[in-house]
Amino acid sequence: MKLKVYADRMSQPSRAVLILCKANGIDFEEIKVEISKRQQLSPEFEAINPFKKLPAIVDGSFKLFESHAILIYIASAFPGVANHWYPADLTRRSKVHSVLDWHHLNLRHGAAAYVLNTVLAPALGLPLNQQAAAQAEKILISSLSKIENIWLQGNGRYLLGSFQPSIADLSLVCEIMQLELLDENDRDRILGPHKKVQQWIESTRNATKPHFDEVHNVLYKMKMKLSTQLSNQADGAKESRIKTPLSSKL
Amino acid sequence: MKLKVYADRMSQPSRAVLILCKANGIDFEEIKVEISKRQQLSPEFEAINPFKKLPAIVDGSFKLFESHAILIYIASAFPGVANHWYPADLTRRSKVHSVLDWHHLNLRHGAAAYVLNTVLAPALGLPLNQQAAAQAEKILISSLSKIENIWLQGNGRYLLGSFQPSIADLSLVCEIMQLELLDENDRDRILGPHKKVQQWIESTRNATKPHFDEVHNVLYKMKMKLSTQLSNQADGAKESRIKTPLSSKL
């Protein structure tokens, strides 16, 4: 029975799992679970992941959730996955675990909350929260500096100075990619000072092409949708500023 | 060369690493790095962990930080560690990874921030933050419910319905143990409704005795210190209430 990957490409950990599968030629079935339609809350999906979060996989009778656990499982269970994704050598493998563990309360915590509270919340029927955005921005910028100055030290183009990407590169780069949803000036302000981070994103994209852009396509489309909404709102606001003095004379 | 464990027993992930080593008879050297004296910020420690956090290990020339990565490394590198701590079977191992990944943005995120902002901050020279405590309390209580109703489902006494503890049990139980620092009524209010969680803490304590209590002893001592301070503050407040009317008459 084929591996089933339950994913929403708008979810960055879902994208990391899909790209790992595609880049390694794994025969799998992608099952779309749309967060914007709250499909992850359905009883069918709850039976797969009681925490109602994406991604999740089913391999035969085995169910698993939490993206890092899934990435490790796929790299271990499918012999076709090249060693660099999840090195067999214990010390190299342990360093990959160290990056993955660090990620949760740093880059992921900052990036996900910043994008949610700056642009994405309305699309999910939630309010934008400026205070939460400000807190998240601090964590995000500090995390990017640490990636630039600590994790990307060394001779290679990838995390831990490696010459080939690991599942940690995939997880962290997919997280940063959601900054595509931000207003371009805001994205440049945040990512601009981190030149090594930008090169590393490009290296990861190149190492996994054409799958990287194919899986991220949904994000680029959402960006256009958000830009159009923003521009319409701005036009609306402009129009209402013009109209207000008129209506006040009525 | 002996394994070196850099730890502060007041740090819950440090305690998890120490207990794993002791419970498995690993010959190691514990090197105290006191957070209350900011020793983790020293250049000597920064050379071991550039993120300046505890715990960290040095095994020969190999340096590692992030407690989950360390627990996995120790369970893998030392043949004396029993299989149940980090199962060799891929599906069982993957489930352990799943719990460990879940932990970061759930129980750890809630418990650490709640204890810090309710009782511990002044001892570290930081202000108490009621708003942060309230946010953390929600995450903590929701996490405890999920442990009770999801992770502790099954026949065994441990997470994932297991009959013997894994490194995930150790990590999560050590996190919950810091609730010992709370006022007893507050601790009972939070832990009281979670009977399975309480039994599981006891099972983990029993499975690792006498090391569990020996390593947690510093926490029990700190609890007494905090209680004495609180009681002195209450006496001081009482005294000042008595004195105030007298001084106002002068």
Side-chain angles (χ1 to χ4, degrees):
Chain A
M1 207 152 37
K2 243 188 220 182
L3 172 73
K4 286 180 184 166
V5 178
Y6 294 78
D8 181 336
R9 293 185 179 199
M10 280 300 294
S11 123
Q12 50 278 19
S14 292
R15 292 195 299 271
V17 171
L18 292 172
I19 294 170
L20 183 72
C21 289
K22 285 171 178 262
N24 287 284
I26 291 170
D27 186 24
F28 74 102
E29 182 187 355
E30 177 180 353
I31 299 169
K32 286 186 191 172
V33 182
E34 289 188 56
I35 297 174
S36 64
K37 294 182 183 165
R38 302 183 177 227
Q39 291 176 345
Q40 82 280 16
L41 307 180
S42 73
E44 293 76 20
F45 186 69
E46 194 183 353
I48 292 160
N49 180 358
F51 292 97
K52 305 171 194 169
K53 299 224 165 163
L54 292 166
I57 59 167
V58 176
D59 191 16
S61 63
F62 178 63
K63 296 170 190 168
L64 189 66
F65 48 88
E66 283 292 335
S67 70
H68 291 173
I70 293 172
L71 292 168
I72 292 176
Y73 173 80
I74 290 173
S76 307
F78 293 84
V81 179
N83 182 62
H84 63 83
W85 289 109
Y86 186 56
D89 172 75
L90 180 60
T91 58
R92 288 182 60 209
R93 174 171 287 195
S94 297
K95 293 277 189 184
V96 170
H97 290 156
S98 183
V99 182
L100 290 171
D101 288 335
W102 174 85
H103 180 44
H104 291 281
L105 280 165
N106 292 281
L107 177 63
R108 170 147 189 77
H109 192 35
Y114 185 73
V115 172
L116 180 71
N117 287 297
T118 312
V119 289
L120 202 57
L124 299 171
L126 298 168
L128 293 172
N129 181 335
Q130 280 191 330
Q131 203 193 354
Q135 280 180 348
E137 184 181 336
K138 281 187 204 163
I139 301 173
L140 169 59
I141 289 181
S142 153
S143 300
L144 289 171
S145 296
K146 284 171 183 162
I147 294 173
E148 179 95 3
N149 299 315
I150 300 175
W151 290 125
L152 285 173
Q153 267 189 354
N155 295 328
R157 291 165 179 271
Y158 298 97
L159 297 170
L160 303 163
S162 299
F163 290 89
Q164 285 180 296
S166 76
I167 53 173
D169 293 279
L170 213 44
S171 175
L172 273 64
V173 166
C174 285
E175 194 72 44
I176 296 177
M177 281 303 290
Q178 70 181 309
L179 301 183
E180 289 289 325
L181 294 178
L182 299 177
D183 165 85
E184 258 170 57
N185 291 333
D186 198 28
R187 184 178 172 275
D188 289 350
R189 176 181 66 82
I190 291 172
L191 270 185
H194 305 103
K195 302 296 177 207
K196 273 194 194 175
V197 168
Q198 291 175 51
Q199 288 162 6
W200 161 62
I201 296 170
E202 275 314 296
S203 301
T204 306
R205 183 201 301 266
N206 284 329
T208 55
K209 68 182 176 188
H211 313 293
F212 191 93
D213 278 333
E214 187 237 315
V215 171
H216 279 90
N217 204 22
V218 65
L219 209 65
Y220 310 141
K221 280 187 188 159
M222 175 59 108
K223 167 67 178 285
M224 286 189 61
K225 198 173 151 189
L226 288 172
S227 300
T228 312
Q229 276 175 0
L230 214 65
S231 141
N232 287 347
Q233 275 167 16
D235 286 352
K238 207 167 153 190
E239 211 170 301
S240 98
R241 275 201 303 279
I242 298 165
K243 277 185 184 162
T244 308
L246 289 173
S247 45
S248 70
K249 283 184 187 174
L250 293 176
Chain B
M1 207 151 38
K2 242 187 221 184
L3 172 73
K4 286 179 183 164
V5 178
Y6 294 78
D8 180 337
R9 292 187 179 198
M10 280 300 294
S11 123
Q12 50 278 18
S14 292
R15 293 195 298 271
V17 171
L18 292 171
I19 294 170
L20 182 72
C21 289
K22 285 171 180 261
N24 287 284
I26 291 170
D27 186 23
F28 74 103
E29 182 187 355
E30 178 180 352
I31 299 170
K32 286 186 190 171
V33 182
E34 289 188 54
I35 297 173
S36 64
K37 294 181 184 164
R38 301 182 176 229
Q39 291 176 344
Q40 82 280 15
L41 306 180
S42 73
E44 292 77 20
F45 186 69
E46 195 183 352
I48 292 160
N49 180 358
F51 293 96
K52 305 170 194 170
K53 299 226 164 161
L54 291 167
I57 59 165
V58 176
D59 191 16
S61 63
F62 178 62
K63 297 169 190 168
L64 189 66
F65 48 88
E66 283 293 335
S67 71
H68 292 173
I70 293 173
L71 291 168
I72 292 175
Y73 174 80
I74 290 173
S76 308
F78 293 85
V81 178
N83 182 61
H84 62 83
W85 289 108
Y86 185 58
D89 172 75
L90 180 59
T91 58
R92 288 183 60 211
R93 173 171 288 196
S94 297
K95 293 277 189 184
V96 171
H97 290 156
S98 182
V99 182
L100 289 172
D101 288 335
W102 174 86
H103 180 44
H104 291 281
L105 280 165
N106 292 282
L107 178 63
R108 171 148 188 76
H109 192 35
Y114 185 73
V115 172
L116 180 71
N117 287 297
T118 312
V119 289
L120 203 57
L124 299 171
L126 299 167
L128 292 172
N129 180 334
Q130 280 190 329
Q131 203 194 352
Q135 279 180 348
E137 184 181 336
K138 279 187 204 162
I139 301 172
L140 169 59
I141 289 182
S142 152
S143 300
L144 289 170
S145 295
K146 284 170 183 162
I147 295 173
E148 179 94 1
N149 299 316
I150 299 175
W151 291 125
L152 285 173
Q153 267 189 353
N155 295 328
R157 292 165 178 270
Y158 299 97
L159 297 170
L160 304 163
S162 300
F163 291 90
Q164 285 180 297
S166 76
I167 53 174
D169 294 278
L170 214 44
S171 176
L172 273 63
V173 165
C174 285
E175 194 73 43
I176 296 177
M177 281 303 290
Q178 70 181 309
L179 301 183
E180 287 290 325
L181 293 178
L182 300 177
D183 166 84
E184 258 169 58
N185 291 334
D186 198 28
R187 184 177 173 276
D188 289 350
R189 176 181 66 84
I190 291 171
L191 270 185
H194 304 103
K195 302 296 177 206
K196 274 194 194 174
V197 169
Q198 292 175 52
Q199 287 162 6
W200 163 60
I201 296 170
E202 275 314 295
S203 301
T204 307
R205 184 201 301 267
N206 285 330
T208 55
K209 67 182 177 189
H211 313 293
F212 191 93
D213 278 332
E214 188 237 314
V215 171
H216 279 91
N217 204 23
V218 65
L219 209 65
Y220 309 141
K221 279 187 188 160
M222 175 59 108
K223 167 65 179 286
M224 286 191 61
K225 200 173 150 188
L226 288 172
S227 300
T228 312
Q229 276 174 359
L230 215 66
S231 141
N232 286 349
Q233 275 168 14
D235 286 352
K238 206 168 154 189
E239 211 170 301
S240 98
R241 277 200 302 278
I242 296 166
K243 275 185 185 163
T244 309
L246 288 174
S247 46
S248 71
K249 282 182 187 176
L250 290 174

